[in-house]
Amino acid sequence: MHVFFDVRHLYYLPQYLPVYNELIKMGVKCEFLLYRQKHLNDTLDAYVKTHGLVYLWANDKEEANNIYLQKKPEWIIFGNAEDNLDDIHCFSKTALMQHGIGPKSCYYDVSNSAIMYRFVEGKHRLKRLTKLFPEKVFIDTGYAKLDPIINNNTDEHYSLSSLALDPSKKTILYAPTFYPSSIECLPQNFPELLKKYNIIIKPHFFSLIKNKYKAQQKKLKHWESYANVYVSGVSDVSILPFMQLAALIISDASSALFEFAALNKPAVWCDFYKLRWSYRGIFKYRFNKRLDKDLAYFEKVAAKTTNVQELMEQVELHINNPQLNEAERTKTSEHLVGKVDGKCSARIAHFLVTGTH
């Protein structure tokens, strides 16, 4: 048996790797298809070599399709929507492992594509997706990305000392998305406001590489100068090691908030964002369209804040009282993330090999 993982973006890999590891145990041949990207090829190359992956390169989607048609694997796993798969489906089956579980509308919209199967996180998402796309096949497996934390076998190992942070302090993980983001809304002296804690900042991949987010990059660079801060770079691909070190997460419209809450750790939600003019005022409907109604669940798993002062107050409250909101956090996480038992990737691998679940 032969399985390909389509790596359109580097940040798909933490979602794929737990499934890959399960497939390797089962004797399945696995390969990864990487897409050449300006300034990122060396980082991609180093990361897959570190993990001992077998991989090929493609310049674009057309070249990738030609490789798939030549190799004819039994399965191709995608991390986002794909179309024009008719020729590929003559030889290969396709499945979607969505690269996040956040509240953006694209979580649901990506199923409106040609991919045959989709692995889904929990009964709530399964029910909504089945109703939206009754002709599609969805398999409730849970969210494989979290398995390494549950099983305590993450591939990357960090310590607070290795990040030049103080092991005697509690650690906060700030994991903003690229848009709509809270980065621009936080003050220049943000780290100083939380100086009695370590702060690990894990920006979205796009915040670090895209020119349109220069303002975010400038602010991140400034924050990095504080002694209590570690700002992750492009080569820090996975957020999982940082989740292990952190006692609390701060996030905005990012999937990371759901992921962290599913580990039964406290979360604080920045419900304030820097919006482009085309998303404000009479154009607010565009913002609302970008975010799905699942955003309402953020308030069930996290403390909602609408400004910086509230943010500081809620961080202080919840990092020192992690049991607050625990019952609701656990209940809602099961609703949105599904089973968090460390066996999600095994369920996916089992389906790929046997066709049953």
Side-chain angles (χ1 to χ4, degrees):
M1 187 174 175
H2 189 187
V3 176
F4 254 100
F5 292 88
D6 188 273
V7 189
R8 178 63 63 91
H9 295 292
L10 181 59
Y11 59 87
Y12 290 6
L13 281 167
Q15 175 78 337
Y16 289 158
L17 288 176
V19 177
Y20 159 78
N21 288 329
E22 291 295 327
L23 290 171
I24 291 297
K25 286 184 206 171
M26 300 169 79
V28 176
K29 179 183 178 182
C30 297
E31 293 188 76
F32 292 77
L33 190 65
L34 312 178
Y35 292 77
R36 289 189 177 88
Q37 299 176 56
K38 191 177 181 181
H39 308 311
L40 289 174
N41 292 339
D42 289 346
T43 302
L44 275 162
D45 192 60
Y47 190 80
V48 295
K49 282 179 177 173
T50 298
H51 288 79
L53 308 180
V54 177
Y55 61 99
L56 297 172
W57 288 97
N59 288 311
D60 51 35
K61 188 59 199 167
E62 183 180 355
E63 187 176 351
N65 283 358
N66 289 335
I67 291 171
Y68 293 141
L69 290 171
Q70 178 191 352
K71 294 277 189 175
K72 298 180 176 60
E74 277 83 355
W75 282 98
I76 306 168
I77 312 300
F78 293 101
N80 211 332
E82 290 290 340
D83 285 308
N84 302 315
L85 296 174
D86 289 348
D87 290 344
I88 284 171
H89 283 157
C90 292
F91 307 101
S92 306
K93 289 176 281 190
T94 56
L96 172 66
M97 289 180 63
Q98 173 70 318
H99 58 273
I101 49 173
K104 293 176 184 175
S105 298
C106 62
Y107 174 88
Y108 294 98
D109 296 343
V110 293
S111 285
N112 189 24
S113 77
I115 297 174
M116 298 168 70
Y117 299 88
R118 176 172 179 176
F119 300 112
V120 182
E121 307 79 21
K123 293 176 183 176
H124 167 71
R125 258 74 189 265
L126 180 67
K127 184 177 179 181
R128 278 194 67 187
L129 284 164
T130 303
K131 188 174 181 180
L132 286 167
F133 307 101
E135 75 287 358
K136 299 282 185 178
V137 181
F138 302 102
I139 303 103
D140 181 9
T141 55
Y143 192 50
K145 180 179 173 180
L146 297 179
D147 282 357
I149 289 187
I150 305 304
N151 299 323
N152 197 30
N153 62 355
T154 52
D155 290 325
E156 292 93 354
H157 299 284
Y158 296 79
S159 67
L160 293 174
S161 297
S162 71
L163 302 179
L165 297 174
D166 186 346
S168 68
K169 291 182 177 181
K170 291 180 180 178
T171 300
I172 294 167
L173 173 60
Y174 175 46
T177 191
F178 62 101
Y179 188 79
S181 184
S182 55
I183 294 175
E184 294 94 336
C185 298
L186 295 181
Q188 288 289 101
N189 68 336
F190 166 59
E192 192 176 324
L193 301 178
L194 295 170
K195 61 186 176 184
K196 65 180 179 178
Y197 304 110
N198 297 314
I199 306 172
I200 297 173
I201 301 178
K202 180 72 170 74
H204 190 282
F205 188 62
F206 289 166
S207 293
L208 296 172
I209 68 165
K210 287 188 174 284
N211 286 333
K212 69 167 70 173
Y213 301 116
K214 288 273 191 191
Q216 293 183 9
Q217 292 161 21
K218 184 178 180 181
K219 185 166 276 190
L220 291 168
K221 187 75 175 172
H222 173 72
W223 287 341
E224 196 172 22
S225 66
Y226 285 83
N228 65 325
V229 172
Y230 176 80
V231 178
S232 70
V234 173
S235 60
D236 294 313
V237 177
S238 178
I239 195 173
L240 298 183
F242 303 131
M243 285 184 168
Q244 284 186 305
L245 294 173
L248 175 144
I249 195 172
I250 299 170
S251 191
D252 39 44
S254 171
S255 168
L257 195 148
F258 281 148
E259 294 170 10
F260 196 83
L263 302 175
N264 194 21
K265 291 185 179 183
V268 179
W269 170 30
C270 297
D271 189 23
F272 52 95
Y273 319 90
K274 171 67 186 299
L275 296 178
R276 302 169 193 145
W277 69 267
S278 55
Y279 279 70
R280 298 182 220 151
I282 61 171
F283 301 115
K284 184 75 180 291
Y285 71 92
R286 291 175 178 164
F287 173 68
N288 294 332
K289 187 177 179 181
R290 183 175 175 85
L291 296 180
D292 184 76
K293 62 184 180 182
D294 279 350
L295 187 71
Y297 287 105
F298 267 19
E299 204 165 353
K300 292 181 180 292
V301 300
K304 178 180 177 179
T305 64
T306 57
N307 57 58
V308 175
Q309 183 178 343
E310 284 183 5
L311 175 64
M312 296 304 128
E313 291 168 356
Q314 292 300 318
V315 165
E316 190 69 22
L317 174 64
H318 287 273
I319 200 167
N320 291 305
N321 301 278
Q323 76 286 356
L324 292 175
N325 202 33
E326 183 174 359
E328 187 63 53
R329 184 165 64 229
T330 303
K331 178 183 173 184
T332 304
S333 292
E334 184 179 346
H335 191 59
L336 289 172
V337 186
K339 293 178 182 176
V340 184
D341 59 0
K343 299 176 182 176
C344 305
S345 46
R347 285 190 283 271
I348 292 172
H350 177 79
F351 179 84
L352 294 173
V353 172
T354 68
T356 60
H357 56 94

